[in-house]
Amino acid sequence: MKYSPLFLAISMATPLAHADSKSIEVIEVTGSYFNDYKVDEAKGAMRTDVSLLETAQSVTVIPSTIVEEQLATTLGEVLTNDASLSAGSKQRNREVFNLRGFELSSSNGYLRDGHQHWSHYQQPIETLESVEVIKGPSSILYGQSGPGGLVNMVTKKPTARTLLNIGADTDQEGSTRFTLDAGGALNDEESLRYRANLVKQDVTYQREYQNGDQRERDRFLGALVVDYDVSDDLSLRVHYDYTNDKAGLDTGGWLNEDGDLIGDRKTIRDMSWAFTDIDVENYGADINYSINDNWQVAIGYNKQTFERERFESAAKKPANFNEGDEYTSKPYDRFDDWQFTTKFIDFTGEFDFAGVNHQLLIGANSLDYYYGQLKVKASSVTYSTGQSEPVKPDIDYRDDDTLYTSEYDYYGVYLQDLVTFNDNWQVSFGGRYDKQNKENADSESFSPKFGVLYHPSEQATIYYSYTEGFEPQRSETLNNDTDINHGMKLDAMESKQSEIGVKWQLVDDRLLLSGAIFDISKKGKLISEDIDHPEFETRTTQAGKQRHKGFELGAQGAINDKLFIMSSLINIDAEYEQDENYQGKTPRDVPEWSAALWSRYEFTEKLAFNAGAFYEGARFADSANTIEKDSYTRIDVGATYQMDISNHELNLRFNINNLLDKKYLIGGGTSSVTAADGISFRVAAQLAF
């Protein structure tokens, strides 16, 4: 048996990532390669164990192998591997993404192991074994969701085999990250198993405050998952993780009327004393029970608490601002408390009826949402480049005795059936009833789903699908006292998608090719624009009908025994079709063309090289389409070398990001744009015991 060098490196980091049962203890690999780029299933797409070839939907799975090779530290760095995702604003130590041109909401755009997940912070990707990008409305299975799709983060699972992996990496700015990944059996029968992760990260960014201090970030993560096989038919999993993430604030750069960055790409307009301090906890349990050989039931619960202090300097860009001009900051101290409680129960079964095979899912899930806010404002201050930085105001959110709260809950029941008529034809269909309970914002909906699949061979699928999505507004009126349209009546948002696609496995099933043509429409989307006004910061409207049409192509897997690729390309024609303000305009941060490529070539059993190219076309920085950000291509390279030290494996890695030191703008608007870093280097070592 022969292993590739990168398989040895990654298997020590995340061995047996898919092995939940003690019966799976050894992975047999034949030949000279291990295809760790290609994934055959995405459970989040159908909530059942169905292969991608039997899924009438476009789905991309980014495995942990690529995350490790790229030394990624944020979800945004992972998602750049799928061209259907583009970056939005990166304000306030969080990341925003657009999927097929539609923004993913923090409240309903993300899942973790199938649970709806509040993603108002940078996700701890060290706990993940893969990231599934599920494209198109997915309300039938998960309730409220946007038209672009969902991102499902699949966590690492306990393993019976003992593992201990210690890693460290650093970059040219002196940033450090130390990681520990441990797992194994806790008893002789291997019925009790665990997986634990610890991370300590200190980041020094290339961007600087105007007093010369560089922005910094300090993060700690602790996570534990325990599996217990109560019997042959019953298993229990409990999980807990805690994240503390504190960072200086950076609300983005400012653009002039020509779309050029004012100042240089390192300049931060916020004051050096502005910060955000986040504490996140997740805990819960999952039970799986096999009723018989054909029927299973799964029950899940997760409680997420998210507490954040945000001490803002709140710099405001004046109209016609030039470097050196005065600008005003309106400092405040704010505390936010979000609580997400999710539950689900799924019955899945496989049986034959009326001469055809059925894979049936019947389930229900729910979400309880709570939000509380305290906020204290300070007096405004003015500042211009070259002056001494204003002193941090003496304010504290704890002095606010008027707690603002918002609560709602919703539940849904759903049914889905995958019907197999013969080797060539399958049909999937289903529906969901959804009910939201919220004061002055009760709503209910029904979301259907339909798909037909034709398999011309065992390696190929041609499909058509139709799906709908539904997003109730948080309230019946706009609640944002910094918006000029505060109190505006809000309607629900509805979305529909038609998709035609093909999936084809080549090179002895090592390489998966895919393509899809899609047409998505949405009604009722909220659009916020920065405005020049003495009292208000934004103007929010409901954009009426928005339509995104396009196609995407993808390739993922092994070209031969030494060359592996993950690549994608997308074309989007996005337009506001019915809107009082933006009729015929393109939404912000939606490029017409995007492409991504990451590859690995194995020179020897010890040495492998990586190369990647990421292209994003020109995008508008405002919905009025008056300011455009130029297209760009970023080149990244890297290499891994494996050494044996006293019967332990040491993997050394060196990466260069933005090899050509390109200056370009990523996501964000005219006063919140993200300026890309210059060339950067990262070195990592990983020791497996």
PDB file of all heavy atoms in Angstrom, residues 602-626:
ATOM      1  N   GLU A 602       2.325  16.560  -7.037  1.00  0.00           N
ATOM      2  CA  GLU A 602       3.207  15.802  -6.167  1.00  0.00           C
ATOM      3  C   GLU A 602       4.469  15.399  -6.935  1.00  0.00           C
ATOM      4  O   GLU A 602       4.418  14.542  -7.817  1.00  0.00           O
ATOM      5  CB  GLU A 602       2.487  14.568  -5.637  1.00  0.00           C
ATOM      6  CG  GLU A 602       1.239  14.919  -4.835  1.00  0.00           C
ATOM      7  CD  GLU A 602       0.498  13.698  -4.324  1.00  0.00           C
ATOM      8  OE1 GLU A 602       0.930  12.569  -4.665  1.00  0.00           O
ATOM      9  OE2 GLU A 602      -0.501  13.855  -3.604  1.00  0.00           O
ATOM     10  N   PHE A 603       5.570  16.016  -6.568  1.00  0.00           N
ATOM     11  CA  PHE A 603       6.827  15.697  -7.233  1.00  0.00           C
ATOM     12  C   PHE A 603       7.394  14.374  -6.747  1.00  0.00           C
ATOM     13  O   PHE A 603       7.883  13.561  -7.544  1.00  0.00           O
ATOM     14  CB  PHE A 603       7.839  16.826  -7.006  1.00  0.00           C
ATOM     15  CG  PHE A 603       7.607  18.021  -7.880  1.00  0.00           C
ATOM     16  CD1 PHE A 603       6.766  19.046  -7.470  1.00  0.00           C
ATOM     17  CD2 PHE A 603       8.210  18.126  -9.122  1.00  0.00           C
ATOM     18  CE1 PHE A 603       6.545  20.146  -8.273  1.00  0.00           C
ATOM     19  CE2 PHE A 603       7.995  19.220  -9.934  1.00  0.00           C
ATOM     20  CZ  PHE A 603       7.163  20.235  -9.512  1.00  0.00           C
ATOM     21  N   THR A 604       7.359  14.173  -5.454  1.00  0.00           N
ATOM     22  CA  THR A 604       7.847  12.930  -4.856  1.00  0.00           C
ATOM     23  C   THR A 604       6.891  12.541  -3.739  1.00  0.00           C
ATOM     24  O   THR A 604       5.902  13.233  -3.479  1.00  0.00           O
ATOM     25  CB  THR A 604       9.265  13.109  -4.266  1.00  0.00           C
ATOM     26  OG1 THR A 604       9.195  13.950  -3.104  1.00  0.00           O
ATOM     27  CG2 THR A 604      10.222  13.725  -5.279  1.00  0.00           C
ATOM     28  N   GLU A 605       7.201  11.461  -3.046  1.00  0.00           N
ATOM     29  CA  GLU A 605       6.370  11.070  -1.916  1.00  0.00           C
ATOM     30  C   GLU A 605       6.529  12.016  -0.733  1.00  0.00           C
ATOM     31  O   GLU A 605       5.733  11.978   0.207  1.00  0.00           O
ATOM     32  CB  GLU A 605       6.718   9.647  -1.480  1.00  0.00           C
ATOM     33  CG  GLU A 605       6.313   8.582  -2.489  1.00  0.00           C
ATOM     34  CD  GLU A 605       6.514   7.191  -1.942  1.00  0.00           C
ATOM     35  OE1 GLU A 605       7.080   7.069  -0.835  1.00  0.00           O
ATOM     36  OE2 GLU A 605       6.099   6.233  -2.598  1.00  0.00           O
ATOM     37  N   LYS A 606       7.529  12.873  -0.763  1.00  0.00           N
ATOM     38  CA  LYS A 606       7.779  13.800   0.331  1.00  0.00           C
ATOM     39  C   LYS A 606       7.458  15.252  -0.014  1.00  0.00           C
ATOM     40  O   LYS A 606       7.279  16.071   0.882  1.00  0.00           O
ATOM     41  CB  LYS A 606       9.252  13.730   0.763  1.00  0.00           C
ATOM     42  CG  LYS A 606       9.725  12.353   1.223  1.00  0.00           C
ATOM     43  CD  LYS A 606       9.127  11.976   2.560  1.00  0.00           C
ATOM     44  CE  LYS A 606       9.711  10.665   3.075  1.00  0.00           C
ATOM     45  NZ  LYS A 606       9.107  10.285   4.378  1.00  0.00           N
ATOM     46  N   LEU A 607       7.408  15.574  -1.291  1.00  0.00           N
ATOM     47  CA  LEU A 607       7.339  16.966  -1.719  1.00  0.00           C
ATOM     48  C   LEU A 607       6.168  17.198  -2.666  1.00  0.00           C
ATOM     49  O   LEU A 607       5.993  16.472  -3.642  1.00  0.00           O
ATOM     50  CB  LEU A 607       8.645  17.363  -2.417  1.00  0.00           C
ATOM     51  CG  LEU A 607       8.743  18.795  -2.948  1.00  0.00           C
ATOM     52  CD1 LEU A 607       8.706  19.802  -1.800  1.00  0.00           C
ATOM     53  CD2 LEU A 607      10.023  18.963  -3.771  1.00  0.00           C
ATOM     54  N   ALA A 608       5.373  18.232  -2.355  1.00  0.00           N
ATOM     55  CA  ALA A 608       4.253  18.614  -3.217  1.00  0.00           C
ATOM     56  C   ALA A 608       4.188  20.133  -3.329  1.00  0.00           C
ATOM     57  O   ALA A 608       4.509  20.854  -2.375  1.00  0.00           O
ATOM     58  CB  ALA A 608       2.942  18.077  -2.667  1.00  0.00           C
ATOM     59  N   PHE A 609       3.762  20.612  -4.502  1.00  0.00           N
ATOM     60  CA  PHE A 609       3.619  22.039  -4.757  1.00  0.00           C
ATOM     61  C   PHE A 609       2.157  22.374  -5.027  1.00  0.00           C
ATOM     62  O   PHE A 609       1.415  21.568  -5.598  1.00  0.00           O
ATOM     63  CB  PHE A 609       4.471  22.471  -5.952  1.00  0.00           C
ATOM     64  CG  PHE A 609       5.918  22.690  -5.608  1.00  0.00           C
ATOM     65  CD1 PHE A 609       6.778  21.611  -5.467  1.00  0.00           C
ATOM     66  CD2 PHE A 609       6.418  23.969  -5.412  1.00  0.00           C
ATOM     67  CE1 PHE A 609       8.104  21.795  -5.138  1.00  0.00           C
ATOM     68  CE2 PHE A 609       7.749  24.163  -5.086  1.00  0.00           C
ATOM     69  CZ  PHE A 609       8.597  23.073  -4.951  1.00  0.00           C
ATOM     70  N   ASN A 610       1.775  23.587  -4.636  1.00  0.00           N
ATOM     71  CA  ASN A 610       0.427  24.096  -4.909  1.00  0.00           C
ATOM     72  C   ASN A 610       0.518  25.400  -5.681  1.00  0.00           C
ATOM     73  O   ASN A 610       1.468  26.165  -5.525  1.00  0.00           O
ATOM     74  CB  ASN A 610      -0.338  24.365  -3.616  1.00  0.00           C
ATOM     75  CG  ASN A 610      -0.566  23.129  -2.789  1.00  0.00           C
ATOM     76  OD1 ASN A 610       0.166  22.857  -1.848  1.00  0.00           O
ATOM     77  ND2 ASN A 610      -1.589  22.370  -3.137  1.00  0.00           N
ATOM     78  N   ALA A 611      -0.501  25.638  -6.491  1.00  0.00           N
ATOM     79  CA  ALA A 611      -0.628  26.919  -7.183  1.00  0.00           C
ATOM     80  C   ALA A 611      -2.106  27.217  -7.354  1.00  0.00           C
ATOM     81  O   ALA A 611      -2.913  26.318  -7.607  1.00  0.00           O
ATOM     82  CB  ALA A 611       0.075  26.893  -8.536  1.00  0.00           C
ATOM     83  N   GLY A 612      -2.461  28.502  -7.206  1.00  0.00           N
ATOM     84  CA  GLY A 612      -3.852  28.896  -7.354  1.00  0.00           C
ATOM     85  C   GLY A 612      -3.983  30.238  -8.024  1.00  0.00           C
ATOM     86  O   GLY A 612      -3.087  31.092  -7.934  1.00  0.00           O
ATOM     87  N   ALA A 613      -5.104  30.433  -8.717  1.00  0.00           N
ATOM     88  CA  ALA A 613      -5.417  31.709  -9.349  1.00  0.00           C
ATOM     89  C   ALA A 613      -6.883  32.013  -9.075  1.00  0.00           C
ATOM     90  O   ALA A 613      -7.748  31.140  -9.233  1.00  0.00           O
ATOM     91  CB  ALA A 613      -5.157  31.652 -10.851  1.00  0.00           C
ATOM     92  N   PHE A 614      -7.162  33.251  -8.662  1.00  0.00           N
ATOM     93  CA  PHE A 614      -8.517  33.650  -8.290  1.00  0.00           C
ATOM     94  C   PHE A 614      -8.851  34.948  -9.007  1.00  0.00           C
ATOM     95  O   PHE A 614      -8.203  35.981  -8.788  1.00  0.00           O
ATOM     96  CB  PHE A 614      -8.619  33.820  -6.767  1.00  0.00           C
ATOM     97  CG  PHE A 614      -8.197  32.577  -6.008  1.00  0.00           C
ATOM     98  CD1 PHE A 614      -6.877  32.422  -5.601  1.00  0.00           C
ATOM     99  CD2 PHE A 614      -9.105  31.572  -5.743  1.00  0.00           C
ATOM    100  CE1 PHE A 614      -6.471  31.281  -4.926  1.00  0.00           C
ATOM    101  CE2 PHE A 614      -8.712  30.423  -5.073  1.00  0.00           C
ATOM    102  CZ  PHE A 614      -7.392  30.273  -4.661  1.00  0.00           C
ATOM    103  N   TYR A 615      -9.865  34.878  -9.861  1.00  0.00           N
ATOM    104  CA  TYR A 615     -10.249  36.024 -10.689  1.00  0.00           C
ATOM    105  C   TYR A 615     -11.627  36.512 -10.281  1.00  0.00           C
ATOM    106  O   TYR A 615     -12.548  35.717 -10.048  1.00  0.00           O
ATOM    107  CB  TYR A 615     -10.268  35.650 -12.167  1.00  0.00           C
ATOM    108  CG  TYR A 615     -10.892  36.718 -13.045  1.00  0.00           C
ATOM    109  CD1 TYR A 615     -10.155  37.835 -13.427  1.00  0.00           C
ATOM    110  CD2 TYR A 615     -12.216  36.614 -13.454  1.00  0.00           C
ATOM    111  CE1 TYR A 615     -10.734  38.830 -14.216  1.00  0.00           C
ATOM    112  CE2 TYR A 615     -12.798  37.602 -14.241  1.00  0.00           C
ATOM    113  CZ  TYR A 615     -12.050  38.705 -14.619  1.00  0.00           C
ATOM    114  OH  TYR A 615     -12.623  39.690 -15.382  1.00  0.00           O
ATOM    115  N   GLU A 616     -11.776  37.833 -10.201  1.00  0.00           N
ATOM    116  CA  GLU A 616     -13.085  38.428  -9.980  1.00  0.00           C
ATOM    117  C   GLU A 616     -13.221  39.624 -10.902  1.00  0.00           C
ATOM    118  O   GLU A 616     -12.341  40.493 -10.959  1.00  0.00           O
ATOM    119  CB  GLU A 616     -13.258  38.848  -8.524  1.00  0.00           C
ATOM    120  CG  GLU A 616     -14.706  39.177  -8.165  1.00  0.00           C
ATOM    121  CD  GLU A 616     -14.956  39.097  -6.670  1.00  0.00           C
ATOM    122  OE1 GLU A 616     -14.306  39.844  -5.922  1.00  0.00           O
ATOM    123  OE2 GLU A 616     -15.803  38.282  -6.259  1.00  0.00           O
ATOM    124  N   GLY A 617     -14.330  39.637 -11.648  1.00  0.00           N
ATOM    125  CA  GLY A 617     -14.548  40.704 -12.609  1.00  0.00           C
ATOM    126  C   GLY A 617     -14.917  42.012 -11.953  1.00  0.00           C
ATOM    127  O   GLY A 617     -15.046  42.123 -10.727  1.00  0.00           O
ATOM    128  N   ALA A 618     -15.077  43.032 -12.764  1.00  0.00           N
ATOM    129  CA  ALA A 618     -15.450  44.350 -12.265  1.00  0.00           C
ATOM    130  C   ALA A 618     -16.803  44.282 -11.569  1.00  0.00           C
ATOM    131  O   ALA A 618     -17.708  43.554 -11.994  1.00  0.00           O
ATOM    132  CB  ALA A 618     -15.487  45.348 -13.414  1.00  0.00           C
ATOM    133  N   ARG A 619     -16.928  45.048 -10.467  1.00  0.00           N
ATOM    134  CA  ARG A 619     -18.159  45.088  -9.686  1.00  0.00           C
ATOM    135  C   ARG A 619     -18.457  46.526  -9.319  1.00  0.00           C
ATOM    136  O   ARG A 619     -17.562  47.358  -9.208  1.00  0.00           O
ATOM    137  CB  ARG A 619     -18.023  44.298  -8.374  1.00  0.00           C
ATOM    138  CG  ARG A 619     -17.753  42.828  -8.533  1.00  0.00           C
ATOM    139  CD  ARG A 619     -16.586  42.404  -7.654  1.00  0.00           C
ATOM    140  NE  ARG A 619     -15.337  42.963  -8.123  1.00  0.00           N
ATOM    141  CZ  ARG A 619     -14.413  43.495  -7.334  1.00  0.00           C
ATOM    142  NH1 ARG A 619     -14.589  43.558  -6.030  1.00  0.00           N
ATOM    143  NH2 ARG A 619     -13.285  43.974  -7.841  1.00  0.00           N
ATOM    144  N   PHE A 620     -19.733  46.800  -9.084  1.00  0.00           N
ATOM    145  CA  PHE A 620     -20.117  48.137  -8.654  1.00  0.00           C
ATOM    146  C   PHE A 620     -19.999  48.244  -7.136  1.00  0.00           C
ATOM    147  O   PHE A 620     -20.277  47.302  -6.400  1.00  0.00           O
ATOM    148  CB  PHE A 620     -21.540  48.468  -9.097  1.00  0.00           C
ATOM    149  CG  PHE A 620     -21.674  48.640 -10.581  1.00  0.00           C
ATOM    150  CD1 PHE A 620     -22.289  47.671 -11.363  1.00  0.00           C
ATOM    151  CD2 PHE A 620     -21.154  49.771 -11.203  1.00  0.00           C
ATOM    152  CE1 PHE A 620     -22.401  47.828 -12.733  1.00  0.00           C
ATOM    153  CE2 PHE A 620     -21.257  49.936 -12.580  1.00  0.00           C
ATOM    154  CZ  PHE A 620     -21.881  48.958 -13.349  1.00  0.00           C
ATOM    155  N   ALA A 621     -19.587  49.427  -6.671  1.00  0.00           N
ATOM    156  CA  ALA A 621     -19.473  49.688  -5.236  1.00  0.00           C
ATOM    157  C   ALA A 621     -20.743  50.297  -4.672  1.00  0.00           C
ATOM    158  O   ALA A 621     -20.841  50.510  -3.463  1.00  0.00           O
ATOM    159  CB  ALA A 621     -18.294  50.625  -4.965  1.00  0.00           C
ATOM    160  N   ASP A 622     -21.724  50.585  -5.541  1.00  0.00           N
ATOM    161  CA  ASP A 622     -22.997  51.130  -5.087  1.00  0.00           C
ATOM    162  C   ASP A 622     -24.101  50.606  -5.984  1.00  0.00           C
ATOM    163  O   ASP A 622     -23.879  50.251  -7.138  1.00  0.00           O
ATOM    164  CB  ASP A 622     -22.974  52.659  -5.083  1.00  0.00           C
ATOM    165  CG  ASP A 622     -22.722  53.244  -6.470  1.00  0.00           C
ATOM    166  OD1 ASP A 622     -22.196  52.501  -7.335  1.00  0.00           O
ATOM    167  OD2 ASP A 622     -23.034  54.417  -6.689  1.00  0.00           O
ATOM    168  N   SER A 623     -25.310  50.558  -5.453  1.00  0.00           N
ATOM    169  CA  SER A 623     -26.434  50.026  -6.224  1.00  0.00           C
ATOM    170  C   SER A 623     -26.860  50.967  -7.338  1.00  0.00           C
ATOM    171  O   SER A 623     -27.544  50.544  -8.278  1.00  0.00           O
ATOM    172  CB  SER A 623     -27.616  49.748  -5.292  1.00  0.00           C
ATOM    173  OG  SER A 623     -27.286  48.733  -4.367  1.00  0.00           O
ATOM    174  N   ALA A 624     -26.485  52.243  -7.249  1.00  0.00           N
ATOM    175  CA  ALA A 624     -26.790  53.178  -8.333  1.00  0.00           C
ATOM    176  C   ALA A 624     -25.846  53.000  -9.514  1.00  0.00           C
ATOM    177  O   ALA A 624     -26.035  53.616 -10.570  1.00  0.00           O
ATOM    178  CB  ALA A 624     -26.711  54.612  -7.817  1.00  0.00           C
ATOM    179  N   ASN A 625     -24.805  52.167  -9.352  1.00  0.00           N
ATOM    180  CA  ASN A 625     -23.857  51.831 -10.418  1.00  0.00           C
ATOM    181  C   ASN A 625     -23.077  53.034 -10.915  1.00  0.00           C
ATOM    182  O   ASN A 625     -22.751  53.144 -12.110  1.00  0.00           O
ATOM    183  CB  ASN A 625     -24.575  51.159 -11.593  1.00  0.00           C
ATOM    184  CG  ASN A 625     -25.172  49.805 -11.258  1.00  0.00           C
ATOM    185  OD1 ASN A 625     -25.805  49.177 -12.088  1.00  0.00           O
ATOM    186  ND2 ASN A 625     -24.991  49.340 -10.030  1.00  0.00           N
ATOM    187  N   THR A 626     -22.730  53.953 -10.013  1.00  0.00           N
ATOM    188  CA  THR A 626     -21.940  55.127 -10.398  1.00  0.00           C
ATOM    189  C   THR A 626     -20.450  54.915 -10.160  1.00  0.00           C
ATOM    190  O   THR A 626     -19.631  55.629 -10.740  1.00  0.00           O
ATOM    191  CB  THR A 626     -22.399  56.370  -9.612  1.00  0.00           C
ATOM    192  OG1 THR A 626     -22.227  56.135  -8.210  1.00  0.00           O
ATOM    193  CG2 THR A 626     -23.863  56.675  -9.893  1.00  0.00           C
TER     194      THR A 626
END
